[in-house]
Amino acid sequence: MRFLQRVATTGAAMGVVMALAAPASAHVVKDVGTYQLTVGWKTEPAYTGVPNAVYLAVHDAAGKAVDDIGDKLKLVVSTAGKTSDPLELALSFDEDTGIGSHGEFDAPIIPTQPGVYTFHFTGAINNHAVDESFTSSDSTFDEVVNPTVAEFPDKTPTAGEVATNVGRLGARVDAAKTTATSADDSASSAKTLGILALIVGIVLGGGALVLGLSGRRTSKP
């Protein structure tokens, strides 16, 4: 009996530890009119270059999931002074297959830059006006980070780093082309000057020769 109590106690303690250790899904919950909105990333951590989605869950005042929110709700995402085109929110639940979750709407997006992101919802959910912004932070949902923090054993460059390196390489190639062109122009100019000097030398030499011969002829008795 004591053994069973110990097992039960140990199991309960392990359950508490596992619950505390389990990763929490970071989202923001806010009441808008008679609806409760839950907003965040669909997958966290959110990595640059990895397909993700803006997650929106809608429940009514009784806590029931709402699948029909009308077609007037709009969403844009912004970061680092840049704003996306409106993103399409699609209901997660599929009636034909039964796959997905009621009241959940996802807007696919691939974040390409690390940092703070803001989700701005405007328009309306049915007849309730909406104008709400949700920004990533320690108390809301995750900021976007580069996937190198989770890569092992090798760290691969991100798409942004590759683009930056390609841009730098392109600038170096352009500079090298400019230098080569200048060198070619200089070489061509030097060649042209050399030819002109040679022609001038020949002309002057020929003239001197003619004058010499003429002088010899004139000095004969």
Side-chain angles (χ1 to χ4, degrees):
M1 186 70 174
R2 291 181 179 178
F3 175 75
L4 293 177
Q5 289 178 342
R6 290 177 182 175
V7 171
T9 302
T10 303
M14 290 180 65
V16 171
V17 172
M18 292 178 67
L20 292 175
S25 179
H27 294 95
V28 183
V29 179
K30 187 170 185 177
D31 292 330
V32 178
T34 60
Y35 294 103
Q36 183 184 76
L37 308 185
T38 304
V39 177
W41 291 108
K42 183 174 179 64
T43 302
E44 293 182 329
Y47 294 123
T48 59
V50 177
N52 209 321
V54 176
Y55 169 96
L56 169 67
V58 182
H59 294 81
D60 62 18
K64 182 180 178 180
V66 178
D67 287 348
D68 184 7
I69 62 172
D71 58 358
K72 296 181 180 179
L73 187 64
K74 308 298 180 184
L75 164 66
V76 295
V77 176
S78 61
T79 184
K82 299 178 181 178
T83 301
S84 72
D85 293 330
L87 303 181
E88 182 178 353
L89 288 159
L91 180 64
S92 168
F93 182 74
D94 187 337
E95 293 184 358
D96 295 332
T97 63
I99 297 175
S101 301
H102 285 286
E104 176 186 332
F105 298 84
D106 301 318
I109 185 174
I110 302 176
T112 58
Q113 181 175 324
V116 175
Y117 280 66
T118 296
F119 307 152
H120 188 194
F121 295 88
T122 57
I125 296 178
N126 295 324
N127 294 324
H128 295 272
V130 177
D131 188 357
E132 300 289 341
S133 292
F134 303 86
T135 301
S136 60
S137 69
D138 292 338
S139 60
T140 55
F141 52 91
D142 286 352
E143 295 182 7
V144 176
V145 296
N146 286 326
T148 50
V149 298
E151 292 178 339
F152 176 83
D154 298 323
K155 306 291 185 181
T156 58
T158 65
E161 291 171 340
V162 171
T164 299
N165 291 336
V166 169
R168 290 174 179 173
L169 179 60
R172 291 178 181 177
V173 170
D174 291 339
K177 287 182 178 178
T178 301
T179 301
T181 300
S182 298
D184 288 343
D185 291 343
S186 298
S188 178
S189 299
K191 184 177 180 180
T192 301
L193 290 174
I195 293 172
L196 289 174
L198 179 61
I199 293 173
V200 171
I202 292 173
V203 170
L204 293 176
L209 179 61
V210 170
L211 290 174
L213 292 175
S214 298
R216 289 178 184 178
R217 290 174 185 173
T218 304
S219 60
K220 286 182 180 181

